[in-house]
Amino acid sequence: MTQLPKTVFKNWLHEELSALVSVQRCRFGHGETAGSIIREPELVVQMWAGVIIHIHVIDEPIPVKKVRRIVETATEQGIPSLFILDVQLLPQQNQHIDPEKWFVPIQSLMDDHAYSYQVEPNRVSILPVQFRPVSRYEVKTVYGKPISIRALRHSRITIKQAALKGFWLLADLESDTIANAPPIRRTDYSAYQYNGPRAGFRDMPHWENRNQPRTDSSGPPAKSHLEVCYELLGVTRSANREEVKAAFRKLAFTVHPDVSALPKPEAEARFKSLTEAYAYIKLTQGWD
């Protein structure tokens, strides 16, 4: 029996996220439930740092008010949210559209771009997409290349877009920057501000250079993959080669499946995370 594209994507994303060094476990949620006031996530990710992230896979139009309710409820529970949209719901590359479309505000939740998923016969992929202003009344759809997920990051972000305005816990995907071609960049909307009967762009944020880390004056900056690896080993980034090696050996001995008191699957996952973190630090620092 042929699986629906959404099911195929959820299974693929579950495997991708479960393999990340910073992820302790990833489980399936219930997703959209008929009659439910609050939408349940399709995937629930638990990080080794203790943070839980909700991922929503959207395969039908969703009102912006409902998106706000999802983010607001999750933030109250201390849970960052991430949305990934079915590419079939979105315009084609370079297509001009009305900025009042339901999916346009969602990009304000993810560093001035959104994520879409695509299921092809021999490939499943995530594409960054941006709705970039071309005039006061039109935005252009721009897709980046498929991304390779390196890590999940999260932070508390101030959103200025009117429909989603607030101070929310949000998640994002960390990927290789070379994947975004055509480039997905932060947009300066100031040239498109105006006073008129339509919402237009007057409430959209004025972003800075996209290469700068995501920060907020009231919250800590998002952590890099390297910082997460150091944290997993319990050392600071100033630790030298021998200190990192000693920390890895000490932790690896306590969680190794042959000696750990943890359940074997959990011990194996923890040991794998430590090994990958140590390998990534060595590779980044140029240590043999």
Side-chain angles (χ1 to χ4, degrees):
M1 184 176 181
T2 303
Q3 291 183 322
L4 295 174
K6 181 177 180 178
T7 302
V8 173
F9 175 71
K10 286 196 302 180
N11 292 337
W12 174 87
L13 185 59
H14 179 272
E15 292 183 4
E16 291 290 309
L17 296 177
S18 297
L20 296 180
V21 67
S22 57
V23 172
Q24 181 178 7
R25 61 173 58 90
C26 178
R27 65 174 177 84
F28 293 105
H30 298 294
E32 185 66 87
T33 302
S36 174
I37 298 176
I38 299 299
R39 188 185 196 280
E40 297 294 328
E42 273 73 17
L43 291 172
V44 179
V45 182
Q46 183 173 344
M47 313 294 284
W48 280 109
V51 177
I52 294 176
I53 295 175
H54 283 179
I55 298 180
H56 297 269
V57 180
I58 309 299
D59 66 342
E60 61 182 13
I62 179 172
V64 178
K65 288 184 179 179
K66 189 165 188 176
V67 173
R68 180 187 177 89
R69 191 160 61 243
I70 292 169
V71 173
E72 186 174 29
T73 302
T75 297
E76 289 174 353
Q77 298 173 355
I79 299 174
S81 302
L82 173 64
F83 296 82
I84 306 179
L85 315 178
D86 187 341
V87 74
Q88 298 298 323
L89 300 174
L90 306 178
Q92 297 180 354
Q93 179 79 283
N94 294 322
Q95 183 176 343
H96 290 205
I97 59 171
D98 189 317
E100 295 180 6
K101 292 289 187 180
W102 64 271
F103 45 77
V104 174
I106 293 178
Q107 74 174 358
S108 67
L109 299 177
M110 288 168 281
D111 214 7
D112 206 23
H113 67 273
Y115 289 114
S116 64
Y117 70 89
Q118 185 174 46
V119 177
E120 300 172 299
N122 299 310
R123 184 181 189 184
V124 179
S125 55
I126 295 178
L127 306 171
V129 56
Q130 185 179 54
F131 308 106
R132 189 176 300 167
V134 293
S135 73
R136 291 183 176 182
Y137 305 107
E138 283 187 319
V139 293
K140 180 175 70 172
T141 308
V142 180
Y143 289 93
K145 289 184 177 180
I147 66 172
S148 176
I149 305 173
R150 292 179 51 195
L152 271 174
R153 56 185 180 181
H154 55 86
S155 55
R156 187 179 287 269
I157 302 295
T158 298
I159 303 300
K160 298 181 181 179
Q161 199 278 337
L164 297 173
K165 188 174 182 179
F167 192 40
W168 313 124
L169 284 171
L170 301 169
D172 200 351
L173 301 174
E174 182 176 316
S175 62
D176 296 327
T177 56
I178 59 174
N180 295 332
I184 300 298
R185 63 175 185 268
R186 295 187 181 186
T187 305
D188 181 2
Y189 293 92
S190 59
Y192 303 99
Q193 291 183 337
Y194 65 100
N195 294 317
R198 303 177 62 178
F201 301 100
R202 65 181 180 276
D203 296 312
M204 292 189 180
H206 296 197
W207 296 105
E208 299 173 357
N209 192 316
R210 180 169 171 23
N211 291 326
Q212 296 178 357
R214 293 176 64 181
T215 60
D216 184 87
S217 57
S218 302
K223 296 177 182 177
S224 69
H225 183 51
L226 183 60
E227 288 173 323
V228 170
C229 290
Y230 274 105
E231 286 188 1
L232 283 174
L233 296 185
V235 295
T236 65
R237 291 192 62 172
S238 61
N240 60 35
R241 180 176 179 176
E242 292 305 316
E243 290 171 332
V244 171
K245 183 178 180 179
F248 167 71
R249 287 185 171 181
K250 180 179 179 180
L251 290 172
F253 179 78
T254 61
V255 301
H256 193 283
D258 292 341
V259 298
S260 177
L262 296 171
K264 187 172 182 180
E266 185 173 347
E268 290 176 343
R270 180 64 171 158
F271 183 74
K272 177 183 177 183
S273 296
L274 289 172
T275 303
E276 291 179 348
Y278 182 46
Y280 187 79
I281 292 173
K282 290 197 297 179
L283 177 64
T284 304
Q285 298 291 2
W287 298 337
D288 295 331

